[in-house]
């Protein structure tokens, strides 16, 4: 009762009173199994510090399995799993049907837990009594993010079940079009980082189809729209986009009503997608039309419209990159391979910093020029002509900086598909 209520003081009192830390409770479970099954990190830590056995099992059901199958948020479960693994819990112990912890995590789609298990030695390609691997289980339960994660970690998609079916065969029989795309587009994900730049690796990951599909059905390559959807954690919308043949050029023109008609009915999905598209596009104004600042109303409006757009886009980028920073993995246990082995992403970030400084200088220059125009207007004198190069460079530097920032955002979003974001 104390564990179910999360009453840490009561648990401590019972332990201090002489209760065995591994005493048998309901179903023969230990207190630690009960604590992690409700994803109570603090209680689990207390019990482990008091000597609880992190490797204890009941009828081949381990403490780690009890944790992974808890009814809680993934981040809570991942914290308990990380704690147990740090106390030497074996991730490769299987139950009576030979189901492993990795298979349980794949079934639930817990990518953070999958990362933790593999980083602590979980075997990727173990098979249960029916010949199912963790990858097979993830396909069976339509867990696309788990499939991506397992493929990135090197799972073998050619292994067949006892019935002679591979994960691709299963996806075909269940008519999971998007799952087939993922499986066909990531034939050698585990080796992508061995050579080539980050940009090349990303391109290969999302667009290469090195193996033909196992049936006559044509499997299209993953394109920019699908890349965007996965980066936004909206991969479940990919089939709808494919069904309606939505291209990138068409997507950027769509409104909420268009998404609704197409079948994207969840308001949160609609807003997330529309915001992302808006963030990636800067309204471009032809500065050649601004011949005399402050003289013609249309020219003044064009300039003001451009600057308002620039301000909005800078705000959007700041918010999105801040969100990426918050989600970026902070602990080594959350990574199983290096995200940026050749420092290309760091180099791009350095370029973005330089370009944003250039953007700041140009905007300051424009502000000063506008100030001079205002002073001249107040004095009834002709406004000084702004240098043509300054006016043109504002547009080029702004777009260059925003474009580079978008590249970094793309890298970070794809890195999220390669690592755990908390």
């Amino acid at each position: 009762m104390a564990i179910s209520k999360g009453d840490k003081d009561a648990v401590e009192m019972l332990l201090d009173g002489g209760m065995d830390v591994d005493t048998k409770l309901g179903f023969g479970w230990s207190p630690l199994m009960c604590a992690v099954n409700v994803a109570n990190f603090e209680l689990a830590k207390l019990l482990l510090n008091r000597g609880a056995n992190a490797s204890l099992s009941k009828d081949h059901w381990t403490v780690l399995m009890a944790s992974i199958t808890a009814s809680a948020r993934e981040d809570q479960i991942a914290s308990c799993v990380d704690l147990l693994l740090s106390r030497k819990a074996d991730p490769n112990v299987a139950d009576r049907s030979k189901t492993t912890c990795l298979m349980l995590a794949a079934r639930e789609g817990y990518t953070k837990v999958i990362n933790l298990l593999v980083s602590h030695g979980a075997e990727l390609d173990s098979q249960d009594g029916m010949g199912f691997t963790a990858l097979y289980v993830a396909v069976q339960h339509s867990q696309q993010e788990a499939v991506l994660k397992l493929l990135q970690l090197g799972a073998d998609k050619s292994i067949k079940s006892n019935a002679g079916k591979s994960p691709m065969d299963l996806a075909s029989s269940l008519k999971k079009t998007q799952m087939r795309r993922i499986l066909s587009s990531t034939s050698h994900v585990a080796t992508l980082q061995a050579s080539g730049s980050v940009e090349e690796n990303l391109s290969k990951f999302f667009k290469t189809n090195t193996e033909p599909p196992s049936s006559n059905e044509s499997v299209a390559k993953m394109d920019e729209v699908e890349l965007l959807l996965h980066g936004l954690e909206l991969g479940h919308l990919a089939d709808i986009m494919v069904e309606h043949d939505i291209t990138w050029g068409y997507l950027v023109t769509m409104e909420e009503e268009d998404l609704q008609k197409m079948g994207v009915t969840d308001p949160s999905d609609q807003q997330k997608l529309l915001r992302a598209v808006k963030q990636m596009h800067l309204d471009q104004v032809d500065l050649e039309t601004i011949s005399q600042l402050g003289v013609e109303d249309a020219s003044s409006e064009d300039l003001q419209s451009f600057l308002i757009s620039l301000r909005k886009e800078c705000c959007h980028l700041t918010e999105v990159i801040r969100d990426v920073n918050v989600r970026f993995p902070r602990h080594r246990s959350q990574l199983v391979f290096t995200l940026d082995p050749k420092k290309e992403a760091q180099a791009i970030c350095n370029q973005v910093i330089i370009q944003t400084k250039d953007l700041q200088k140009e905007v300051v220059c424009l502000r000063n020029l506008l100030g001079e125009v205002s002073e001249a207007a107040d004095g009834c004198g002709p406004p000084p002509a702004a240098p043509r190069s300054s006016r043109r460079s504002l547009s080029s530097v702004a777009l260059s900086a925003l474009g580079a920032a978008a590249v970094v955002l793309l890298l970070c979003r794809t890195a999220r598909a390669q690592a755990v974001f908390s």
Side-chain angles (χ1 to χ4, degrees), residues 132-389:
F132 297 169
T133 63
L135 180 61
Y136 194 100
V137 171
V139 173
Q140 185 180 41
H141 291 271
S142 302
Q143 300 293 356
Q144 293 183 10
E145 299 302 325
V147 170
L148 278 170
K149 173 60 65 178
L150 289 164
L151 288 170
Q152 291 162 19
L153 297 176
D156 187 348
K157 65 179 183 181
S158 67
I159 297 176
K160 297 184 177 182
S161 66
N162 295 349
K165 283 189 174 183
S166 68
M168 178 68 83
D169 296 331
L170 177 63
S172 297
S173 64
L174 296 177
K175 298 182 179 180
K176 297 181 183 292
T177 305
Q178 180 61 15
M179 201 68 77
R180 282 174 50 78
R181 285 170 190 264
I182 295 172
L183 290 165
S184 65
S185 300
T186 53
S187 301
H188 303 290
V189 176
T191 62
L192 285 182
Q193 292 194 350
S195 63
S197 66
V198 170
E199 292 88 341
E200 291 170 347
N201 285 337
L202 295 181
S203 176
K204 290 177 184 178
F205 175 79
F206 284 106
K207 295 188 177 181
T208 299
N209 187 3
T210 56
E211 291 184 4
S214 57
S215 73
N216 293 330
E217 181 182 354
S218 174
V219 178
K221 299 177 182 179
M222 297 184 75
D223 59 14
E224 292 88 348
V225 173
E226 291 172 291
L227 174 60
L228 173 65
L229 292 175
H230 281 286
L232 296 173
E233 298 179 350
L234 295 175
H236 56 281
L237 300 180
D239 283 342
I240 294 178
M241 297 294 177
V242 172
E243 180 182 348
H244 291 82
D245 196 23
I246 301 301
T247 62
W248 179 263
Y250 184 57
L251 178 64
V252 298
T253 67
M254 297 182 74
E255 301 291 343
E256 185 175 334
E257 183 180 351
D258 299 317
L259 293 175
Q260 186 78 25
K261 290 179 180 179
M262 194 172 62
V264 182
T265 56
D266 188 326
S268 62
D269 288 350
Q270 293 174 0
Q271 294 305 313
K272 185 184 288 188
L273 185 56
L274 291 173
R275 281 198 304 267
V277 172
K278 183 178 179 182
Q279 288 165 7
M280 291 184 178
H281 285 268
L282 176 65
D283 293 335
Q284 298 183 34
V285 174
D286 183 9
L287 294 187
E288 293 289 346
T289 64
I290 308 178
S291 57
Q292 292 183 338
L293 297 178
V295 176
E296 299 179 10
D297 292 338
S299 297
S300 178
E301 290 176 1
D302 285 341
L303 176 61
Q304 185 176 9
S305 175
F306 170 73
L307 292 176
I308 290 174
S309 176
L310 177 61
R311 182 188 64 186
K312 288 181 179 179
E313 295 304 324
C314 287
C315 290
H316 287 319
L317 283 173
T318 300
E319 291 173 2
V320 176
I321 295 176
R322 183 185 294 119
D323 181 61
V324 170
N325 290 338
V326 170
R327 294 172 178 270
F328 215 82
R330 294 291 195 272
H331 306 291
R332 291 184 179 180
S333 62
Q334 294 176 300
L335 297 170
V336 294
F337 50 76
T338 304
L339 284 173
D340 188 25
K342 295 186 179 181
K343 309 298 182 185
E344 287 100 339
Q346 289 189 26
I348 293 176
C349 285
N350 291 335
Q351 293 172 10
V352 172
I353 291 172
I354 294 172
Q355 288 174 317
T356 51
K357 288 180 179 178
D358 290 341
L359 175 60
Q360 181 183 12
K361 291 178 183 178
E362 294 295 334
V363 174
V364 170
C365 176
L366 179 59
R367 182 195 64 184
N368 294 338
L369 289 172
L370 290 173
E372 292 178 8
V373 169
S374 298
E375 291 176 2
D378 291 340
C380 297
R388 186 180 185 85
S389 59

Side-chain angles (χ1 to χ4, degrees), residues 92-107:
N92 289 311
V93 176
D95 67 7
R96 291 184 181 277
S97 63
K98 296 186 179 180
T99 299
T100 65
C101 291
L102 192 62
M103 294 173 192
L104 293 174
R107 183 187 70 189

